[in-house]
Amino acid sequence: MDVFAHILWTGGITKAVNNKREKQGKKPFSIIWSAFCGVAPDLFAFGPAFLLMFLGILSGSFHFSEIPQPDFHGVEDHPEGNFPYAYLSFALYNISHSAIIFLLVFALIWIIRKAPYWELSGWLLHILIDIPTHSSLFYPTPFLFSLSNFKISGVSWGVPWFMALNYGALLVFFVYLLLSRRKKSLKL
Ligand SMILES: [Zn+2]
């Protein structure tokens, strides 16, 4: 899914969870850190390649027109072949989109802090959202890396009808959050 939708879904779901926790008198989770963890897998995978491209453009060794447009409808191709620095992105994508690696990092941080850092769940949510929203044509989610290369070919988030459905669902969700907040403030 695109980075903006990842931020909005993670932030919105954390807000909904916080509403429940507030009722139970529990400390809310950080929406900012949850949303950051919700987009971090893509920043980690593509940030360095974009930075290298940007530096290449500044130094004149790389031209803007060389950046290919992602092809969501195209014929079977391999992402590593149509993107500058794609091998780097592909390697980092495997790491940041693996539920196995997420579990290892989550457990490690739990051991170090002696308490779970629940905001990190945004990372897992990112992987779970990506699994059905990437087709085999464009970065299918390697959620079992490095134990298995198994990937699911889902519906691409980039096709117009899915974009409309996704952002429509986000709009409904945020209106619901807003209305539930207003209901709460009316009760007070
Ligand atoms: Zn992703």
Side-chain angles (χ1 to χ4, degrees):
M1 195 175 283
D2 68 281
V3 288
F4 300 109
H6 272 302
I7 292 172
L8 292 171
W9 276 120
T10 325
I13 288 171
T14 309
K15 177 68 188 140
V17 171
N18 280 350
N19 288 348
K20 278 217 159 150
R21 288 177 69 83
E22 267 175 37
K23 271 186 212 159
Q24 296 163 345
K26 291 179 183 166
K27 201 174 152 242
F29 296 124
S30 162
I31 292 177
I32 301 231
W33 280 114
S34 293
F36 175 76
C37 290
V39 73
D42 284 348
L43 297 182
F44 182 82
F46 300 105
F50 277 100
L51 187 70
L52 286 170
M53 273 192 278
F54 181 67
L55 292 175
I57 289 167
L58 286 184
S59 67
S61 64
F62 185 76
H63 197 263
F64 206 71
S65 61
E66 289 175 76
I67 300 174
Q69 295 296 313
D71 182 5
F72 298 107
H73 317 276
V75 289
E76 179 81 37
D77 57 45
H78 297 281
E80 67 270 32
N82 67 358
F83 188 76
Y85 308 108
Y87 281 104
L88 172 67
S89 286
F90 207 53
L92 297 177
Y93 192 82
N94 279 338
I95 295 168
S96 66
H97 286 71
S98 162
I100 310 283
I101 291 175
F102 161 79
L103 286 174
L104 288 175
V105 174
F106 189 80
L108 190 71
I109 290 177
W110 191 333
I111 291 165
I112 293 168
R113 292 178 81 235
K114 297 189 173 69
Y117 185 61
W118 290 112
E119 281 81 350
L120 210 60
S121 307
W123 178 4
L124 182 63
L125 186 66
H126 181 114
I127 297 169
L128 294 178
I129 288 175
D130 269 359
I131 293 172
T133 61
H134 279 254
S135 80
S136 62
L137 301 180
F138 190 75
Y139 285 85
T141 311
F143 62 102
L144 294 176
F145 178 83
S146 59
L147 294 183
S148 160
N149 204 24
F150 177 73
K151 291 165 193 164
I152 287 166
S153 184
V155 176
S156 170
W157 60 261
V159 293
W161 70 264
F162 186 83
M163 278 278 204
L165 192 73
N166 191 23
Y167 279 91
L170 274 166
L171 186 71
V172 170
F173 184 41
F174 273 81
V175 167
Y176 160 77
L177 285 177
L178 207 72
L179 289 178
S180 54
R181 206 176 87 177
R182 199 180 279 177
K183 214 160 74 184
K184 202 172 74 184
S185 60
L186 281 176
K187 270 191 204 163
L188 289 173

